[in-house]
Amino acid sequence: DSGVTQTPKHLITATGQRVTLRCSPRSGDLSVYWYQQSLDQGLQFLIQYYNGEERAKGNILERFSAQQFPDLHSELNLSSLELGDSALYFCASTESGFTYNEQFFGPGTRLTVL
Amino acid sequence: GEDVEQSLFLSVREGDSSVINCTYTDSSSTYLYWYKQEPGAGLQLLTYIFSNMDMKQDQRLTVLLNKKDKHLSLRIADTQTGDSAIYFCAERGNNAGNMLTFGGGTRLMVKP
């Protein structure tokens, strides 16, 4: 158990819908990262937040957005969902946004878009 | 941009050594990582190596880094059936934050 929690574990929805994925980092970790794992694209970095502020952006679509709240949990919002958005979404956390410490990964949320 | 490549599949017999290879393109990579993903689970960090090192050993795991060729390998000695999983190589470049670039993963199958 990494100490990072993600909810829900599974999510099934229809095209055009909007969903919110939630992540709680390890206690004391200030930085949260979101990754998408799909069969065709592999594991891709989406976005990073550090202490409430966006720190780095990867291959995140404009239909997707994220935020980190004062209690440090983070939410990834996916809107106008398409079939191709079906994937496993991971959240990871580190203590700081600048150190080279290990990123601790949550168990992921499996999103299925029908 | 950065690119990390791995072979898709490796099959070994229990008790043999496994060697999983990875190549990367970012010459500014500072840390290189090996993660393990078991079915239905998240990623678990196995080991990492700093870019100024050639080798790192951690129990049954040996990481070799050839910085000139940008080649990283993970050797698992005495491979067990419990080692069956997908192994991801990842690199951290000299970028803002701690963004990792992952390879596509190598599925290791260990036959009894």
Side-chain angles (χ1 to χ4, degrees), chain B residues 65-85:
Chain B
L65 175 60
N66 181 328
K67 199 173 179 185
K68 174 175 163 287
D69 294 338
K70 298 192 188 74
H71 181 267
L72 182 75
S73 68
L74 173 70
R75 179 176 180 270
I76 306 172
D78 187 25
T79 315
Q80 303 297 306
T81 54
D83 295 323
S84 293

Side-chain angles (χ1 to χ4, degrees), chain B residues 28-47:
Chain B
S28 72
S29 292
T30 51
Y31 282 81
L32 295 122
Y33 301 81
W34 284 103
Y35 280 86
K36 177 183 180 183
Q37 185 180 29
E38 296 186 66
L43 278 76
Q44 173 199 353
L45 180 68
L46 287 179
T47 187

